[in-house]
Structure formats: C-alpha cells, structure tokens
Amino acid sequence: SQNARNLQESVMSMRAQPVKLVFARLPRLVREVAAETGKRVRLVMIGEDTEIDKTVIEHLHDPLTHMIRNAIDHGIETPEERMAMGKPPEGVIRVSASHIGGKIVIQLADDGRGIDIAVSRIRRKLAVAGIVSVRIGTLYGRGYVLQVDAAGAPRPGAGFDFGENEPNLTRLNAD
C-alpha cells in the first residue's frame, strides 16, 4: 500500500547518509601515499551528496582505501615515466558515487598504466612467492599479496580479499 511505501521511504531516508562522510578521508590518504611513492596525484570526487545506508557507509572505508593505495602503488606512474609517455606529470584518480537502476554504484578509476602493463611484474612477484601458474582472473582471489621488500621477497599485505566478508558489497570489479 502507499502508506507502507511512505513509511519504508521515511525509515530509509533516516538511515541514509551522504557518501562524503567516506570521501572526506580520501584526499589525505592520496596525499600521504603519493608522498610515500614519489608520485603526483590529483583526486577527483564526484557524487559526494549521494546518500547511502549508514551500514554500507561503515563498510566502504577499507575497500576504498585499499583500492586507492593500489591505484597509486601499481597504476599511477612516476612523473618522469608519465612525461616519457606523453602524459602530464600528475596522475588522476576519480572516485564517484551515483544511483543507477535502483542501486548505489561506487566507481574508482585512474589514468595510470593499468593492469595489462603490470601483469608480467605481478607474475614475477608471484613466481618469487612460489606461485607459478596464474590466470588474470585469479589475481582478485583470496591470498594474493603483491608487495615485495627491497630484496624482491614477498611481504605481508592486505591481498585482494578485503571485500570477501563484507555482506553489503555485492560486487567488486577491477577494470
């Protein structure tokens, strides 16, 4: 009935919070990781007023942090590499939130080298760890940690399983 629908919408609007509560932490993260890696990165945020249930808001911080760190660590090139490829010295990361087809969509994209260039590097790192056979689809499975120390040995990290136990995240895509 209309009354039930109105009541449901009222309850949902009381639980809804703008995604800017999560996005507000991202500029500092980008500055810190860029400084650690010697890269120049500009963050563009779109849809900060998009409202999301507060339970989902609480679960977005860790996955977004992990993906932004990966984008800077593995995607965005150094200023020198970027200029050698004809790109501006500053990389760009875009984070957006929107409502599409009754769902909330959070997207993260960067203008870096992408996974294609990194595949051989990833395979070398996995070989050092004793993992010799890798299909690109398995890179997003549990247990693959691609950080290495100065000697090239694998070191502990978050891996790709950060979203596995998040009941409010239905799909994570890496494009």
Side-chain angles (χ1 to χ4, degrees), residues 46-59:
I46 301 165
E48 295 172 277
D49 292 329
T50 302
E51 291 190 336
I52 300 176
D53 185 272
K54 72 178 189 174
T55 305
V56 176
I57 291 276
E58 293 166 2
H59 290 91

Side-chain angles (χ1 to χ4, degrees), residues 39-113:
K39 298 177 181 177
R40 292 176 44 194
V41 183
R42 179 170 48 96
L43 177 65
V44 176
M45 297 182 290
I46 301 165
E48 295 172 277
D49 292 329
T50 302
E51 291 190 336
I52 300 176
D53 185 272
K54 72 178 189 174
T55 305
V56 176
I57 291 276
E58 293 166 2
H59 290 91
L60 278 177
H61 181 262
D62 289 345
L64 279 176
T65 297
H66 186 80
M67 289 186 284
I68 285 176
R69 283 188 172 279
N70 276 346
I72 297 172
D73 284 341
H74 306 295
I76 301 289
E77 307 89 351
T78 64
E80 296 79 18
E81 291 171 320
R82 292 179 64 81
M83 291 189 311
M85 292 186 285
K87 294 181 177 181
E90 179 180 71
V92 178
I93 295 178
R94 286 179 182 78
V95 181
S96 66
S98 59
H99 292 273
I100 298 177
K103 295 184 180 184
I104 305 297
V105 176
I106 307 291
Q107 294 179 315
L108 187 141
D110 67 68
D111 69 346
R113 72 180 125 236

Side-chain angles (χ1 to χ4, degrees), residues 90-166:
E90 179 180 71
V92 178
I93 295 178
R94 286 179 182 78
V95 181
S96 66
S98 59
H99 292 273
I100 298 177
K103 295 184 180 184
I104 305 297
V105 176
I106 307 291
Q107 294 179 315
L108 187 141
D110 67 68
D111 69 346
R113 72 180 125 236
I115 193 78
D116 293 339
I117 301 296
V119 168
S120 63
R121 199 171 109 221
I122 291 168
R123 285 199 171 118
R124 282 194 308 273
K125 289 179 183 181
L126 292 172
V128 168
I131 302 167
V132 294
S133 177
V134 177
R135 289 186 342 264
I136 193 69
T138 65
L139 292 174
Y140 300 96
R142 180 179 256 303
Y144 290 110
V145 178
L146 303 178
Q147 298 177 350
V148 295
D149 63 19
R155 63 184 169 97
F160 290 108
D161 58 347
F162 60 84
E164 184 173 306
N165 295 317
E166 296 292 347

